[in-house]
Amino acid sequence: YAYWCVECIRMERNTFPTAPVQDLLARLQPIKADVTENNPVDQRLMKEFGIYGPPAILFFDLNGEEMKDYRLVGYFDAETFSAHLQQVLAAQ
């Protein structure tokens, strides 16, 4: 997330607040990294995960390993994001 990221703001307004997404997110442990400042810590975090800029949504299994096949980059509407979350939950 970054305050200057247009797609991040769209997801904050249109995707995340919907009931289906909220119900599915309640079954996960969401963590939001704010890279607004793009400082050395933010840059190191993005480099560590191979992210070129927000929005990027990464999913981790119960062992803390990234589920790379489920990574999302860019904007997703509520319906598409909900379907993706269901796949992530089924794969855990």
Side-chain angles (χ1 to χ4, degrees):
Y1 176 84
Y3 79 84
W4 43 261
C5 170
V6 174
E7 301 302 348
C8 297
I9 294 167
R10 284 181 64 206
M11 287 192 73
E12 289 283 328
R13 290 182 182 162
N14 303 324
T15 304
F16 296 133
T18 64
V21 170
Q22 285 296 304
D23 291 344
L24 291 163
L25 286 176
R27 298 171 54 192
L28 300 169
Q29 187 174 5
I31 299 170
K32 180 164 86 172
D34 186 342
V35 296
T36 295
E37 293 183 25
N38 198 29
N39 60 30
V41 172
D42 295 345
Q43 292 173 14
R44 191 169 56 242
L45 178 67
M46 290 190 295
K47 183 178 180 181
E48 175 74 24
F49 290 103
I51 298 168
Y52 298 102
I57 302 172
L58 287 61
F59 297 92
F60 296 85
D61 65 19
L62 298 174
N63 296 317
E65 298 294 322
E66 184 184 353
M67 301 168 68
K68 291 185 180 187
D69 292 341
Y70 296 94
R71 180 183 282 210
L72 297 175
V73 177
Y75 175 80
F76 293 86
D77 62 31
E79 184 177 332
T80 303
F81 191 64
S82 292
H84 188 78
L85 289 176
Q86 290 172 353
Q87 291 175 351
V88 169
L89 287 165
Q92 287 189 329

